[in-house]
Amino acid sequence: MKFTKEQLSEALRAKLTPNGKKLAMSERTLNGNAERLYNRLAKDEANADVELADVVAEYLPDFEEINNNVRKDNADFAKAYEDDWKKAHPEDPKPAPKKDGGNEGDDDPMKALMGKIDALEQRLADADNKRVVADKRQQLIDSFKEKGIKDEKWLAGYMRKLSVNKDTDVEQETNDAIEFYNLAHAETPAEETPGGAGGGSSDYSKDFEAIRKMREDAIKQERGESTAS
């Protein structure tokens, strides 16, 4: 044929969206149907010299029907959503009229629906991020223990003070933790060994304050700032 499936999609899109009118069907639906049409035509050698304009003229009504059906389904869904909302919120005031020459149609219930969808997508993204961070924290704990940090109380306290996100480098944080762990325990007198006989829960506040100070100094050193107190 004298045109590609991409050119067929573009030509059909142009006919379905005159004067900037929004396409009701999705791009995926348009492209998928256009590709199937193109493949059917390509199987017949009689279509070798068929012109793009002729194909568009012949099959445009089919695409218009799909597009109009999708538009009607969207409108029906939005209307049902609006009716349900009004039933659930009978006391809600009517939206204020648009100012600055806005059209009455600007208060389209579809906007409210899209807002709901955006909010849902954001909640899903937040939930996914929390899951990723939780997995990352577990990776860190497993890595710390694998490298020999067995003190559960110290580990719990360290993790509470550690900021973790999806980009946290497990290997780097493990090296830092080992360094701070060895430093803290090297400065702990033998008679104050955590978990020793006769003592209650150990106070690690001084250890973690030293850790916090070391991290701050390391960051300042990287930035070329003074580390003097």
Side-chain angles (χ1 to χ4, degrees), residues 131-142:
R131 179 188 60 77
V132 171
V133 170
D135 289 345
K136 182 73 71 169
R137 293 183 71 87
Q138 189 59 51
Q139 290 177 36
L140 288 167
I141 292 173
D142 293 343

Side-chain angles (χ1 to χ4, degrees), residues 52-204:
L52 175 61
D54 294 334
V55 173
V56 171
E58 181 176 354
Y59 291 95
L60 179 61
D62 296 332
F63 283 82
E64 287 178 332
E65 182 177 358
I66 296 173
N67 201 50
N68 290 335
N69 286 340
V70 172
R71 180 172 284 111
K72 183 178 184 303
D73 288 344
N74 288 341
D76 290 345
F77 181 80
K79 182 65 168 59
Y81 172 83
E82 182 181 23
D83 291 343
D84 290 343
W85 178 267
K86 288 180 178 179
K87 290 178 182 178
H89 303 82
E91 303 299 325
D92 285 0
K94 293 182 179 180
K98 289 289 182 180
K99 298 180 181 180
D100 301 326
N103 297 322
E104 182 180 351
D106 289 344
D107 288 317
D108 189 344
M110 185 60 71
K111 285 187 177 181
L113 176 60
M114 295 307 296
K116 288 280 187 179
I117 293 174
D118 289 344
L120 176 60
E121 289 179 345
Q122 184 60 51
R123 287 198 296 272
L124 291 174
D126 292 342
D128 185 62
N129 184 64
K130 289 181 180 179
R131 179 188 60 77
V132 171
V133 170
D135 289 345
K136 182 73 71 169
R137 293 183 71 87
Q138 189 59 51
Q139 290 177 36
L140 288 167
I141 292 173
D142 293 343
S143 180
F144 293 170
K145 290 182 177 181
E146 183 181 339
K147 293 297 184 178
I149 300 179
K150 306 298 184 181
D151 190 329
E152 294 286 350
K153 291 182 179 179
W154 188 95
L155 182 59
Y158 185 84
M159 290 302 299
R160 281 197 300 271
K161 293 182 177 291
L162 183 62
S163 177
V164 179
N165 58 54
K166 63 183 181 65
D167 297 319
T168 297
D169 187 325
V170 174
E171 182 177 357
Q172 182 60 52
E173 288 298 340
T174 299
N175 292 336
D176 291 346
I178 292 172
E179 181 180 350
F180 297 145
Y181 179 81
N182 291 336
L183 175 65
H185 284 68
E187 293 180 351
T188 302
E191 62 271 15
E192 295 180 14
T193 300
S201 60
S202 300
D203 181 6
Y204 293 102

Side-chain angles (χ1 to χ4, degrees), residues 1-17 27 30-39 41 48 50-57 59-60 63:
M1 291 186 290
K2 296 182 177 182
F3 54 90
T4 65
K5 61 185 178 183
E6 289 79 14
Q7 289 174 324
L8 178 58
S9 291
E10 288 298 326
L12 288 166
R13 184 185 294 102
K15 290 291 185 180
L16 294 168
T17 56
E27 290 288 335
L30 172 62
N31 293 334
N33 280 277
E35 182 175 357
R36 284 190 288 274
L37 171 59
Y38 182 89
N39 291 338
L41 294 173
V50 69
E51 297 288 345
L52 175 61
D54 294 334
V55 173
V56 171
Y59 291 95
L60 179 61
F63 283 82

